[in-house]
Amino acid sequence: MKKLRLGGLAAGMLLACTGYAQTPAATPVPAATVLKAAHLFDGRSGSLTSPGLVVVQGNKIVAVGANAEVPAGAKVIELGDATLVPGYIDAHTHISYDHEDDWAQGFYEGMLRFPVEQSFHAGSNAKATLRAGVTTAREVGAGDFVDVALRNAIEAGLTEGPRMLVAGHAIGSTGGHCDSSPFPPERVKPSGPLQGVCNGPEQCREATRLQMKYGADLIKICASGGVLSESDPVDVPQLTSEELRAIIGEAHNWNRKVAAHSHGDAAAKLAVEAGVDSIEHGSFLTTPTLQLMKQKGVYLVPTRMTQVWVLDKADTYPPKIGAKARAAGASHSAMFKNALKIGTPIAFGTDAAVYPHGINAQEFGDMVELGMSPSAALLTSSQGSAKLLGIDKETGTLEAGKFADIVAVPGDVLQNIRATEKPLLVMKQGVVVKQSE
């Protein structure tokens, strides 16, 4: 019989989870919970109804609407002048990493931190993210498979956080945005396919298989350069058409979706033509590429709040990074407005870790400031992200049969979209994880 060797983190998780393998005793059906508020945004119709009422049994919604029957013995939570909305679905996070205002200090601390220690940081970030109203998150790249461990720990009830779909290591070329920093190779071992760095179709196919072997729910690629990396131009293609087809084809064969980091237009066009499912950031996308994305149903995940953040912080970064931040930030506003006009599908995503964890909902207001309606901004999560992640049959809307992922925000959310930033109540799969007194 083949022996399995488990690292410290995996072994600890296995020991902690042994209790879950026992046959549970029969338990009574839990009493219902009823949420009452002045308004309800169901995430499907795009409109507000009043009053708002949602009945929850176990981890599912069983009834919605003012005429829904309140079961005998139900716990009723009166929220007053508030709006019930679907839990936020953030399609672009890095919960496994930390934010640090001082870029150099963050780089230094990250280099010295062991994976197990980073897992504790990731757990803290996950808790902050959930309490901000994010009940589902797509983690698009993490080192040392910390994201896989975090997902598993949340599912096992060992730590608190959103439901997570994770990518393992992001995949890209040598010297690209997904590669490690340009350390002297005799001091720091260069990254290879296991860490997502590949060259040529066959090696890129291997890198994709390795991420899936070790637990990736999706694949993240770096099609173009990035802002917060030192050695690569922000807008040039970093994977060839053959490499893109190898990665995307392999992932799709395994029923995994592929997200492509791409600020650059040429890189995004190559990725779209190769069959990618979403383009992340998209700072320099042109009209033809946005139109092609609409035609093929490829989502734009604009991470608008990150562009605002890095543009504001540009003077604090190393000179090369600061210059890229200014270039991307200056182009992103016009690109986003153009995407709205064209009707390119948009999914809610924030690039958490570039900014401090737990303020994800600023993305809604930042998109509204560029001309999107409050209703459409909310729908980028409940419809856009839910469909992009392939979980729209399970969550994303306040409907009977869906998971009870619910957020209550003060007042009328369509009159004040920034109310999403101050949740009064957060419920994940029927469990209240935050409630203001």
Side-chain angles (χ1 to χ4, degrees), residues 98 194 254 413:
D98 292 304
L194 179 60
W254 288 55
V413 72

Side-chain angles (χ1 to χ4, degrees), residues 41-48 364 367-368 371-384 412-417:
F41 184 88
D42 65 14
R44 182 174 297 281
S45 65
S47 60
L48 216 62
F364 292 119
M367 290 190 290
V368 169
M372 182 176 268
S373 72
S375 175
L378 290 170
L379 290 175
T380 63
S381 168
S382 61
Q383 294 291 313
D412 180 340
V413 72
L414 298 188
Q415 295 299 314
N416 176 22
I417 191 63

Side-chain angles (χ1 to χ4, degrees), residues 33-36 40 52-56 61-65 84 398 406:
T33 299
V34 178
L35 304 181
K36 287 186 174 182
L40 182 142
L53 187 148
V54 180
V55 182
V56 175
I61 296 171
V62 296
V64 178
L84 299 174
L398 303 184
I406 307 168

Side-chain angles (χ1 to χ4, degrees), residues 168-386:
H169 296 92
I171 295 175
S173 61
T174 297
H177 184 59
C178 286
D179 196 359
S180 54
S181 295
F183 306 111
E186 65 273 12
R187 293 178 181 271
V188 177
K189 182 181 177 181
S191 298
L194 179 60
Q195 295 79 32
V197 179
C198 56
N199 300 284
E202 290 310 311
Q203 199 174 64
C204 287
R205 186 175 284 109
E206 178 189 5
T208 304
R209 288 172 173 169
L210 283 167
Q211 306 319 306
M212 296 187 293
K213 172 182 178 178
Y214 292 111
D217 301 303
L218 64 125
I219 295 297
K220 157 75 175 300
I221 61 176
C222 287
S224 87
V227 172
L228 298 183
S229 49
E230 292 183 278
S231 62
D232 57 323
V234 68
D235 59 345
V236 300
Q238 295 187 346
L239 290 166
T240 66
S241 295
E242 293 76 18
E243 289 168 336
L244 288 165
R245 286 196 293 270
I247 295 167
I248 296 169
E250 194 66 27
H252 285 175
N253 283 342
W254 288 55
N255 295 317
R256 306 295 205 274
K257 293 194 175 185
V258 182
H261 160 106
S262 186
H263 288 279
D265 182 69
K269 186 172 184 291
L270 289 173
V272 172
E273 289 173 339
V276 80
D277 298 288
S278 64
I279 297 294
E280 317 293 306
H281 316 304
S283 299
F284 302 102
L285 298 186
T286 62
T287 294
T289 301
L290 290 167
Q291 290 173 334
L292 182 64
M293 290 169 64
K294 179 182 179 180
Q295 176 188 332
K296 290 182 172 291
V298 177
Y299 279 85
L300 169 66
V301 185
T303 63
R304 175 61 192 168
M305 64 182 291
T306 299
Q307 306 304 319
V308 174
W309 184 274
V310 299
L311 192 57
D312 182 62
K313 302 290 184 182
D315 290 343
T316 70
Y317 297 135
K320 289 181 181 178
I321 292 176
K324 293 195 289 183
R326 294 184 194 95
S331 178
H332 194 272
S333 297
M335 181 282 300
F336 184 85
K337 292 177 181 178
N338 199 23
L340 288 183
K341 182 172 64 176
I342 290 168
T344 306
I346 294 176
F348 179 90
T350 68
D351 212 3
V354 173
Y355 63 85
H357 293 283
I359 59 173
N360 309 58
Q362 286 187 19
E363 180 78 6
F364 292 119
D366 288 352
M367 290 190 290
V368 169
E369 287 186 0
L370 287 182
M372 182 176 268
S373 72
S375 175
L378 290 170
L379 290 175
T380 63
S381 168
S382 61
Q383 294 291 313
S385 292

